[in-house]
Amino acid sequence: MIYTIELLISKLTENDKSGYDLNKIMDAYELANSSHEGQKRSSGEPYISHPIAVAYLLLDFKMDTDTIVAALLHDVVEDSNVELSYIKKRFGGDVALMVDGVTKIGMIPLNYTKEEQHAENIRKILLAMSQDVRVILIKLADRLHNLRTLEHRPPEKQRGTALETMSFYTPIAHRLGMNELKEEMEDISLRYLDPYGFKSIDEQVSHRKEQRELFIEKIMEMITERIGEMEPVPSIAGRVKSNYSIYKKVIVDGKNFDEIYDIYAVRIIVQSVIECYNILGIIHDMFRPIPFRFKDYIATPKPNRYQSLHTTVIGRDGIPFEVQIRTVDMHNTAEYGVAAHWKYKVGLVAKQKNNPNTSDTGRLEWLRHVLDQHQESGNVEHISEAIKTDLASEDVYVFSPKGDIITLPLGSNVIDFAYAIHSQVGNKMTGARVGGRMVKFEYQLVTGDIVDIMTTNSSSYGPNRNWLDIVKTSSAKAKIRAWFRKERRSENIVEGKNSLERELKRNSLPFDDELILVAAKELRFEEADEFYASIGYGGTPMTRVIHKVKEIYNATAAAASVSEADNINLSESIAKKQSKGVVVEGIDNCLVRFANCCTPLPGDKIIGFVTRGYGVSVHKSDCANVSSEKRDRLIKVKWVHLNDLYYRAAIDVVAENRVGLILDVTSVIFENKLSIDEINAKKLKNGNACIEITLEIANVEQLKNIIAKLQKIRGVIVAMRRDS
């Protein structure tokens, strides 16, 4: 379908011609048309068809003149020479704000990663949305039309757009209560993310289409016959669960298609809340309800203000189906969310904050939380984290001892609950009871839990760093980071430095002050201590740090191998450790890395393998991965003696399971003054225990010595080196 201005005007007339400023809309169209003149979409259609389509979609939400104008102009600043100041002067401040909000950031610093650029764009959208929620409505309509025409884009662009949609736009649409739009975006995205899975579900749904239609029609007739005398007569409609919703249960959860009880559904729309409950009684009288499949979202609305009664029943044919019962207002809210009751002043979060009586205040409460967290953490990447977790499509509803309802994402634990109540409750938390019994901090909450948090008044008490790996919500993570940043700076520096040193060793990278300082400045830190402190309290993800250090280290090594003149000055320690104790025959300053498949140690016979772009990979001579067809890329290498170099070596210990086993193993290691990088223990099916240890070892002889001592521990069946 090609969208034209004539089609848009026709739609405007259908909606309410007198309610729109047609002159202003046509003025915007003319500017957009001239600005996009000569531009084509991937489909070959004139580009102007896209902004018209976005405006057309927004008319379904009964949006006002300024929103339609902004939709027509939303790509003008980004794709032409039109300045935002000109749009403000010609169309007003509201239109300019919306256009600016949906315009991608043009000048992002060169040292920003793709993830940071994406997070910056999200941050800009959310900030504009906090001033005017119409920004995100335009962006959602823009994304929906791009999805509908995604078949004209290259495969990598299709997948990228679909992934971004699922990680950002569908959670936003869910939290705004825009269910119809969300489901369409999910279904289209699934088609590109898992085409085979989508096709499988679509074929099963299509195969049963006739059977489904007959079944739903029969159920609707039965219900109509029973409640047909009500005044006014309730509206009854049938529906089928979206392909993506079915996909999650069949493909992801592993359920059989016939095990999904709510594939078929009947929706009954009445005039009042009391009628909802009356109809529920009638439905339960007509059909047998399935236990524990009743949900009252009228008494306990979802965070996005969704309200409805859901019950799953079994018909006379033995086929389960869901019945949804709601009022007209509830239905409009369920389908169109924040746009269902659109009023300009309701769209302003700032005004809502001062007017808690507005109906959509709670719907946008999460937005303030996300922005507040960004202000606290100062890290734009945490915004993406908040979108993925806090705006998840599934929630749990738990209670405080006083009966207050706290809504949290599925998978949240008691620490998340504590921080949801207040920062100080989380910071002073010492334990938790659920239903009157003590639980671990990792306990995952389920709907209906009554949670009692125990706290201390001790000023020296605070959260544990391990909580950052346990909590689910970005809100809790942000508050924990904020506490450590404020209260434990010196501790953060030590923790961050130690953590970085461990990770660098694990990745066979040198811990060098000059290299670290370069990486810190690349990541926008002025000094090393500030950098270490950020790592220590979790403000800067370690994966990002290691990626940056590797990037600088490899660039330095590559420059050194090309030309002395272009060489970035290496400190003495980098130059010394670059070879990692291995000399490559005939090559100076060669980048060396050890193969993970065989983890060679000094004393092992070794061979080098030239890898394109990564220098020389060192393997044990008998490594199975050094195959005969690659002999032309093999090169001689040998060990050289460096006293302060250590290497990762893995040992597996299998022993009779008993109390104190791990203590005995670690004691032997510490007595031999060896450093443990990693240790994991598990119980085997035969009842024995397996302990996997990664140590820092100087050479093969030291490894053989520690294995021999581990072998002497009571109950140990075997201790051996693990090559991969």
Side-chain angles (χ1 to χ4, degrees):
M1 178 179 181
I2 299 178
Y3 291 87
T4 63
I5 188 61
E6 291 78 19
L7 193 64
L8 180 66
I9 296 300
S10 174
K11 181 81 168 180
L12 283 164
T13 306
E14 284 178 23
N15 274 10
D16 180 8
K17 185 176 181 180
S18 62
Y20 292 99
D21 185 341
L22 290 180
N23 290 331
K24 190 173 184 179
I25 291 172
M26 286 303 299
D27 191 18
Y29 164 72
E30 288 169 5
L31 175 59
N33 192 36
S34 61
S35 299
H36 294 302
E37 186 176 1
Q39 296 177 3
K40 300 283 187 180
R41 304 199 81 218
S42 299
S43 62
E45 298 172 1
Y47 193 87
I48 188 62
S49 65
H50 171 64
I52 293 174
V54 174
Y56 187 92
L57 290 171
L58 288 167
L59 287 176
D60 288 334
F61 300 132
K62 306 294 190 293
M63 302 309 294
D64 63 338
T65 295
D66 278 356
T67 310
I68 303 305
V69 168
L72 290 168
L73 299 172
H74 78 273
D75 278 335
V76 163
V77 173
E78 188 174 340
D79 295 341
S80 73
N81 295 323
V82 177
E83 297 288 339
L84 192 66
S85 57
Y86 176 75
I87 290 179
K88 184 175 182 179
K89 182 178 179 180
R90 185 166 170 179
F91 297 99
D94 288 348
V95 172
L97 172 67
M98 286 186 275
V99 171
D100 186 40
V102 297
T103 300
K104 292 178 182 176
I105 296 173
M107 296 299 292
I108 296 178
L110 294 175
N111 60 349
Y112 272 43
T113 64
K114 287 184 178 180
E115 291 76 15
E116 289 177 302
Q117 293 175 28
H118 175 64
E120 278 287 1
N121 282 318
I122 290 175
R123 182 185 68 83
K124 185 175 182 183
I125 293 170
L126 294 180
L127 285 171
M129 181 181 165
S130 70
Q131 296 173 280
D132 194 330
V133 76
R134 291 176 294 180
V135 169
I136 197 63
L137 299 181
I138 296 171
K139 198 67 182 175
L140 288 170
D142 169 69
R143 178 49 56 109
L144 180 58
H145 183 247
N146 283 332
L147 285 170
R148 287 178 176 178
T149 56
L150 203 54
E151 71 269 15
H152 302 292
R153 302 287 285 160
E156 65 274 11
K157 293 289 185 181
Q158 292 174 344
R159 184 171 176 81
T161 298
L163 277 171
E164 186 183 47
T165 300
M166 296 296 280
S167 64
F168 177 65
Y169 291 101
T170 57
I172 290 283
H174 165 73
R175 192 45 62 105
L176 292 177
M178 305 176 73
N179 187 61
E180 186 175 13
L181 181 144
K182 177 186 79 83
E183 287 189 349
E184 183 176 354
M185 289 200 298
E186 286 174 337
D187 282 354
I188 297 174
S189 297
L190 177 61
R191 186 181 304 156
Y192 295 101
L193 292 173
D194 187 356
Y196 297 105
F198 177 85
K199 184 179 179 182
S200 173
I201 297 298
D202 196 48
E203 285 177 349
Q204 290 189 68
V205 171
S206 299
H207 177 69
R208 306 174 187 221
K209 182 179 179 181
E210 185 177 344
Q211 171 192 345
R212 180 187 71 243
E213 289 176 348
L214 289 173
F215 174 75
I216 291 178
E217 185 178 339
K218 180 180 178 182
I219 294 297
M220 288 170 57
E221 287 177 358
M222 293 173 65
I223 295 174
T224 301
E225 184 179 344
R226 182 72 178 268
I227 65 175
E229 295 181 1
M230 289 182 64
E231 290 292 341
V233 178
S235 170
I236 305 176
R239 64 174 290 276
V240 180
K241 202 172 184 68
S242 71
N243 281 4
Y244 178 70
S245 297
I246 298 173
Y247 172 89
K248 283 196 299 182
K249 294 196 174 184
V250 173
I251 305 296
V252 178
D253 296 341
K255 290 187 176 181
N256 187 283
F257 198 87
D258 295 321
E259 293 178 312
I260 305 174
Y261 292 153
D262 54 353
I263 287 182
Y264 309 120
V266 173
R267 184 174 291 152
I268 304 173
I269 302 173
V270 295
Q271 299 300 312
S272 66
V273 172
I274 191 67
E275 287 178 323
C276 290
Y277 289 101
N278 287 340
I279 294 291
L280 176 68
I282 293 171
I283 295 299
H284 282 180
D285 182 54
M286 294 178 65
F287 308 101
R288 180 159 56 89
I290 297 177
F292 310 112
R293 297 287 301 179
F294 167 67
K295 296 175 183 177
D296 188 344
Y297 293 121
I298 294 179
T300 308
K302 290 186 177 183
N304 61 9
R305 292 300 183 264
Y306 176 88
Q307 288 184 290
S308 185
L309 296 177
H310 289 195
T311 184
T312 304
V313 297
I314 297 179
R316 294 173 185 173
D317 297 327
I319 300 174
F321 63 95
E322 184 179 68
V323 179
Q324 300 173 357
I325 310 166
R326 60 181 69 150
T327 66
V328 174
D329 283 344
M330 291 175 190
H331 178 67
N332 289 333
T333 299
E335 295 303 300
Y336 304 112
V338 71
H341 307 290
W342 171 252
K343 290 180 183 178
Y344 173 62
K345 289 184 179 180
V346 176
L348 296 176
V349 175
K351 290 192 176 183
Q352 287 179 339
K353 201 167 186 177
N354 298 322
N355 181 15
N357 295 321
T358 53
S359 62
D360 283 304
T361 299
R363 192 191 301 280
L364 296 177
E365 184 68 29
W366 60 269
L367 176 58
R368 285 192 288 276
H369 287 318
V370 170
L371 293 173
D372 287 346
Q373 289 164 34
H374 167 63
Q375 293 300 325
E376 286 185 6
S377 70
N379 191 329
V380 293
E381 289 176 275
H382 292 155
I383 290 181
S384 298
E385 180 184 338
I387 297 297
K388 292 175 183 177
T389 56
D390 295 11
L391 304 190
S393 59
E394 294 184 78
D395 301 295
V396 293
Y397 305 88
V398 292
F399 298 86
S400 72
K402 294 181 179 180
D404 297 324
I405 298 176
I406 303 293
T407 305
L408 295 166
L410 186 68
S412 297
N413 54 46
V414 292
I415 306 176
D416 293 295
F417 178 88
Y419 278 104
I421 296 173
H422 196 277
S423 298
Q424 287 304 311
V425 175
N427 291 340
K428 298 298 181 182
M429 176 183 179
T430 59
R433 294 188 183 93
V434 175
R437 62 184 180 86
M438 293 293 297
V439 296
K440 294 181 179 179
F441 286 156
E442 296 90 339
Y443 173 82
Q444 290 193 1
L445 298 167
V446 296
T447 295
D449 278 345
I450 301 174
V451 186
D452 184 13
I453 302 297
M454 292 172 286
T455 59
T456 178
N457 292 324
S458 172
S459 59
S460 62
Y461 195 83
N464 190 304
R465 290 184 189 276
N466 293 334
W467 290 4
L468 286 169
D469 299 321
I470 296 173
V471 294
K472 169 78 172 179
T473 61
S474 64
S475 174
K477 288 182 180 179
K479 290 172 181 176
I480 295 169
R481 292 187 189 111
W483 188 89
F484 276 104
R485 184 173 69 249
K486 182 179 179 181
E487 304 291 341
R488 295 287 190 271
R489 176 172 167 77
S490 58
E491 183 183 315
N492 291 336
I493 293 172
V494 174
E495 176 67 24
K497 190 172 183 178
N498 290 339
S499 297
L500 179 55
E501 189 170 5
R502 286 194 300 270
E503 284 300 315
L504 289 173
K505 285 183 178 178
R506 186 172 286 121
N507 286 273
S508 299
L509 291 166
F511 185 84
D512 179 82
D513 291 339
E514 184 178 329
L515 178 63
I516 299 304
L517 188 57
V518 172
K521 289 185 175 180
E522 288 269 341
L523 294 169
R524 298 183 296 285
F525 292 95
E526 291 300 320
E527 56 181 32
D529 279 355
E530 183 186 355
F531 181 48
Y532 293 139
S534 181
I535 296 172
Y537 71 76
T540 301
M542 185 63 77
T543 52
R544 184 176 163 213
V545 173
I546 295 300
H547 174 78
K548 180 58 67 178
V549 173
K550 276 184 178 178
E551 184 181 283
I552 296 168
Y553 181 76
N554 290 340
T556 301
S561 66
V562 172
S563 169
E564 289 273 336
D566 296 332
N567 184 37
I568 300 172
N569 290 328
L570 292 173
S571 69
E572 184 178 349
S573 60
I574 294 180
K576 179 182 178 183
K577 295 181 182 179
Q578 184 175 316
S579 70
K580 300 184 178 68
V582 171
V583 172
V584 181
E585 185 180 80
I587 302 177
D588 295 326
N589 294 323
C590 179
L591 179 64
V592 169
R593 66 185 182 93
F594 293 109
N596 291 326
C597 54
C598 55
T599 57
L601 294 172
D604 286 326
K605 292 182 179 180
I606 53 175
I607 189 73
F609 179 74
V610 179
T611 56
R612 295 184 179 92
Y614 294 97
V616 172
S617 177
V618 178
H619 294 254
K620 289 169 64 176
S621 296
D622 57 357
C623 177
N625 287 331
V626 184
S627 54
S628 57
E629 63 267 26
K630 297 176 181 177
R631 291 292 170 185
D632 60 321
R633 287 163 62 188
L634 296 181
I635 190 167
K636 289 183 179 180
V637 293
K638 65 179 181 179
W639 297 104
V640 293
H641 184 62
L642 290 175
N643 292 325
D644 58 347
L645 284 186
Y646 291 89
Y647 306 84
R648 283 166 55 85
I651 300 173
D652 288 339
V653 177
V654 178
E656 297 171 0
N657 196 9
R658 62 176 174 81
V659 175
L661 175 63
I662 295 179
L663 178 61
D664 289 346
V665 169
T666 54
S667 295
V668 168
I669 293 169
F670 292 142
E671 286 168 6
N672 285 267
K673 296 183 174 56
L674 296 178
S675 179
I676 297 177
D677 263 2
E678 189 176 347
I679 183 166
N680 294 297
K682 59 185 177 182
K683 186 176 180 180
L684 302 177
K685 290 182 178 180
N686 61 7
N688 290 332
C690 178
I691 304 174
E692 300 170 343
I693 316 161
T694 304
L695 304 174
E696 291 182 1
I697 294 288
N699 51 52
V700 169
E701 289 305 315
Q702 192 177 46
L703 179 65
K704 289 179 179 177
N705 180 52
I706 191 64
I707 287 176
K709 291 183 178 180
L710 291 171
Q711 189 73 57
K712 295 178 182 179
I713 294 174
R714 179 170 62 88
V716 169
I717 300 168
V718 64
M720 59 186 178
R721 177 181 180 180
R722 185 173 73 249
D723 286 337
S724 60

